[in-house]
Amino acid sequence: MSATVGALFRRCPVTGLAVHQQSERLLKVNAVTAIVTFLVGTISAALLALTRWQAVHLLPADWYYRLLTAHGLNMLIFFIIFFEMAILYFAGPILLNCRQPAPKLGWAAFALMAVGALLVDVMVFSGQADVLFTSYVPLKAHPAYYLGIILFAVGALIAVGLFFAALVVARREKTYEGSIPLVAFGGLTAAIIAVITLLHGAAIYIPTFLWSLGLMEVDAQVYRLIFWGLGHSSQQINVAAMVSVWYLLGALTVGSVVINEKISRTAFVLYVLFISMASAHHLLVDPGMGPAWKVWNTSYAMYLAVLASMIHGFTVPAGLELGQRLRGFVKGKFEWLRKAPWGDPGFSGMFLSLVVFGFLGGITGVTAGTEQINIIAHNTLRIPGHFHSTVVGGTALAFMALTYYVIPLIFRKRVAFWPLAKIQPYLFAAGICTLSVGMTFAGIFGVPRRHWDISFSDAPFTFAFPPAVDLLLAVMALGGLLAALASLIYVAVAVVSVFFGETVDLAQLDDTRGIPQGIVKLPAQSHTEEAGEKAHSGGTPGTMILVFVFLAVFILYYFTNWKLLSMIWKIG
């Protein structure tokens, strides 16, 4: 780099990356805004949990649906996508050691996203958009609500475009050698899915905006079809970004090894090709779609997307095991796991994210995506039980874990409230698992999702769920409150660290308080050929056992659901 260009960069003393100042600033502002929207979603979540708990039933009906709308939008859209934009600024210009292309355009993209998110929240909290996350037609919100979503989507599209531009700049200016790193490839996957997702959003929200102004009509079935190209696919941006974070944190925490680059990259490609088709499982109860279309998209196409997650579900823990074995933890099948840095919230959050996403989210998702089972599961609490374990227990927990490394590496601050930060991932994972299990089993009893009052008071008919449902809803609410508490700890740690924390010089680190162990001493990121061959020759026996445990649980849960279905259909 020339002296002029070099002045625009700083060299990270831990990773050795050349960090462009504008990329770093854009990363910071997107990450901070993500946490602000996460706080809004967390407060809404706690109040919703206290309302679905029938013994408490806190909120009146109008505020219940209002906060349900706010919770979905702030958690599933604003928090996740703001954080993903921060990840793209890292996976692009920072990881590839290149300059930030068109930084002014990056700030314009952020401004559009921030204004759009603010406009949506103002409409929701003012009571002019009680339409839930899905905003299904013919439910109608104020036109400003749809305009806010459009502005947010346009800003996100611009930011994604800048990521693509960074890849071109890095290639032309030869700031890296060989293929782009796997984490950047995962970011590229997330960016491609984001384009597909946001174009679906434009295709349906622009007509819906015009409909809200009284300028045209929108067919309800067409809305649902195109919306789920946005609503489901947006969560698959999360999956690609989350898996990229797994690979990144594995390298930073224990020097994880990528088992096979080609296989991992192929799995990312499967996401691009098939993940959008899998959104059809949201339409399995819709009469407007034919059975052949439903079966094709939710069986053959969805299973190819599931295959991608199962590949990563093996390669990530196997890479962790190999990394640990290269560090000397070779006794038995699980010393590598016992001696892992469980006191590092970056590692514990990443590993818990992997487990919760796979065991709770993956197994329940594939099962509920089966057409016959979906018929009895779709409009019950089983569905929120599934996606809380994927988007929250998986993606959000992975992003939390990454935050504990972003604070010292990017913001150059010590992590505040370090003892609390170390236990926060465990509290959050425990809360989400409890919430998800309570929801899932309540859903098996037929408890509907989204309903304010399952006693159906003032209805022309009477219905009472068995007493076990009250216990399960209490379990769900207590899990939700524990997860909300852990979320507030996360927000407090992040805010205090970033705005009031102690600045730290990582080049001269004499005091390691509030610094993750992977930053104190970065594990070796490359190994001698001899060491690599020795590690590979021993295989990954611990991971293989975990994989077979996963498959056994998967088979058991899947069989149980078909057994329940046969009982309902009076078969056998």
Side-chain angles (χ1 to χ4, degrees):
M1 297 177 187
S2 66
T4 305
V5 175
L8 301 176
F9 289 78
R10 71 172 179 88
R11 181 71 62 180
C12 177
V14 176
T15 62
L17 295 172
V19 181
H20 192 264
Q21 293 179 10
Q22 289 290 350
S23 300
E24 186 174 55
R25 290 168 186 161
L26 286 165
L27 188 160
K28 287 179 178 180
V29 73
N30 277 279
V32 168
T33 309
I35 291 174
V36 171
T37 59
F38 181 79
L39 177 60
V40 175
T42 296
I43 295 171
S44 300
L47 297 173
L48 291 170
L50 289 171
T51 304
R52 287 308 304 259
W53 188 356
Q54 286 293 125
V56 178
H57 211 49
L58 180 66
L59 298 173
D62 56 346
W63 271 101
Y64 168 76
Y65 290 109
R66 193 163 300 154
L67 290 182
L68 191 56
T69 305
H71 173 66
L73 289 165
N74 280 278
M75 290 303 212
L76 289 171
I77 299 294
F78 302 148
F79 161 62
I80 293 290
I81 294 183
F82 269 120
F83 206 103
E84 284 161 354
M85 295 304 106
I87 289 174
L88 290 184
Y89 284 116
F90 171 81
I94 294 179
L95 190 57
L96 299 178
N97 296 289
C98 76
R99 59 186 174 82
Q100 174 62 51
K104 291 183 179 179
L105 198 56
W107 287 104
F110 168 75
L112 284 172
M113 292 174 66
V115 170
L118 181 62
L119 189 57
V120 168
D121 274 345
V122 168
M123 290 297 103
V124 171
F125 285 107
S126 65
Q128 300 181 73
D130 296 337
V131 293
L132 304 187
F133 166 75
T134 48
S135 314
Y136 283 148
V137 173
L139 294 176
K140 184 181 290 188
H142 191 282
Y145 168 82
Y146 303 105
L147 178 61
I149 292 177
I150 293 168
L151 292 176
F152 182 87
V154 170
L157 269 174
I158 293 171
V160 169
L162 291 176
F163 170 78
F164 293 136
L167 297 182
V168 174
V169 168
R171 173 65 70 179
R172 286 183 176 176
E173 298 182 359
K174 298 180 180 179
T175 58
Y176 68 96
E177 297 179 358
S179 301
I180 64 173
L182 184 60
V183 173
F185 191 86
L188 174 60
T189 303
I192 293 171
I193 298 172
V195 171
I196 297 169
T197 299
L198 294 169
L199 289 178
H200 275 93
I204 197 58
Y205 269 109
I206 291 174
T208 308
F209 170 61
L210 297 175
W211 166 73
S212 70
L213 293 171
L215 300 178
M216 65 177 291
E217 293 297 321
V218 174
D219 180 84
Q221 183 65 62
V222 171
Y223 178 93
R224 286 172 64 88
L225 173 64
I226 301 176
F227 170 83
W228 282 113
L230 162 73
H232 182 77
S233 298
S234 64
Q235 309 320 311
Q236 308 319 311
I237 309 171
N238 312 343
V239 173
M242 173 190 68
V243 173
S244 301
V245 169
W246 289 348
Y247 282 114
L248 174 63
L249 286 175
L252 291 176
T253 55
V254 298
S256 177
V257 175
V258 178
I259 299 294
N260 188 302
E261 286 263 356
K262 290 182 180 178
I263 289 176
S264 294
R265 291 172 190 264
T266 300
F268 277 121
V269 172
L270 288 175
Y271 281 147
V272 174
L273 295 177
F274 297 104
I275 207 70
S276 294
M277 299 171 73
S279 63
H281 76 265
H282 291 280
L283 305 171
L284 286 175
V285 297
D286 284 30
M289 307 298 168
W293 182 88
K294 292 176 180 179
V295 170
W296 171 261
N297 283 281
T298 59
S299 295
Y300 305 104
M302 187 178 80
Y303 293 155
L304 288 169
V306 171
L307 174 63
S309 291
M310 295 186 76
I311 290 172
H312 293 305
F314 171 75
T315 58
V316 172
L320 296 173
E321 181 174 355
L322 278 184
Q324 284 286 78
R325 290 183 180 276
L326 284 169
R327 296 172 68 200
F329 302 111
V330 295
K331 294 180 182 178
K333 293 180 173 60
F334 288 108
E335 187 190 22
W336 65 274
L337 194 56
R338 294 195 310 272
K339 297 293 181 68
W342 294 105
D344 178 354
F347 178 85
S348 62
M350 175 270 295
F351 200 88
L352 290 170
S353 162
L354 173 64
V355 171
V356 175
F357 180 86
F359 276 83
L360 280 181
I363 291 173
T364 59
V366 174
T367 303
T370 304
E371 183 178 15
Q372 295 89 338
I373 296 172
N374 189 275
I375 297 297
I376 62 171
H378 188 83
N379 287 313
T380 72
L381 271 177
R382 289 179 65 180
I383 302 305
H386 154 68
F387 65 68
H388 275 84
S389 56
T390 54
V391 180
V392 188
T395 303
L397 186 51
F399 289 0
M400 290 174 177
L402 180 61
T403 302
Y404 295 118
Y405 273 74
V406 168
I407 289 171
L409 287 175
I410 300 298
F411 290 90
R412 286 171 279 176
K413 298 290 185 73
R414 293 188 191 278
V415 178
F417 309 127
W418 184 241
L420 280 177
K422 290 198 290 185
I423 66 171
Q424 185 270 333
Y426 297 99
L427 293 176
F428 188 79
I432 287 300
C433 288
T434 305
L435 170 80
S436 179
V437 169
M439 281 183 164
T440 299
F441 280 93
I444 289 173
F445 277 96
V447 176
R449 59 191 294 201
R450 295 174 167 171
H451 273 235
W452 169 68
D453 180 19
I454 64 168
S455 69
F456 302 103
S457 57
D458 299 326
F461 55 86
T462 59
F463 180 82
F465 285 99
V469 166
D470 293 324
L471 174 61
L472 291 169
L473 291 178
V475 168
M476 177 200 74
L478 292 173
L481 292 175
L482 178 58
L485 173 63
S487 298
L488 293 175
I489 292 173
Y490 165 72
V491 171
V493 168
V495 170
V496 172
S497 300
V498 169
F499 293 104
F500 309 104
E502 178 186 347
T503 301
V504 62
D505 182 0
L506 297 179
Q508 299 178 346
L509 195 58
D510 299 323
D511 184 357
T512 60
R513 289 178 301 106
I515 306 296
Q517 56 87 34
I519 294 177
V520 174
K521 185 179 180 181
L522 184 69
Q525 299 298 297
S526 60
H527 306 278
T528 64
E529 185 175 342
E530 181 182 354
E533 289 179 358
K534 183 178 179 181
H536 278 277
S537 65
T540 56
T543 301
M544 289 303 298
I545 291 174
L546 295 177
V547 166
F548 280 110
V549 170
F550 169 82
L551 292 175
V553 174
F554 198 159
I555 292 168
L556 178 62
Y557 185 79
Y558 201 66
F559 169 80
T560 302
N561 274 270
W562 281 102
K563 179 63 177 176
L564 291 173
L565 188 63
S566 71
M567 293 165 63
I568 292 171
W569 284 355
K570 305 297 182 186
I571 297 174

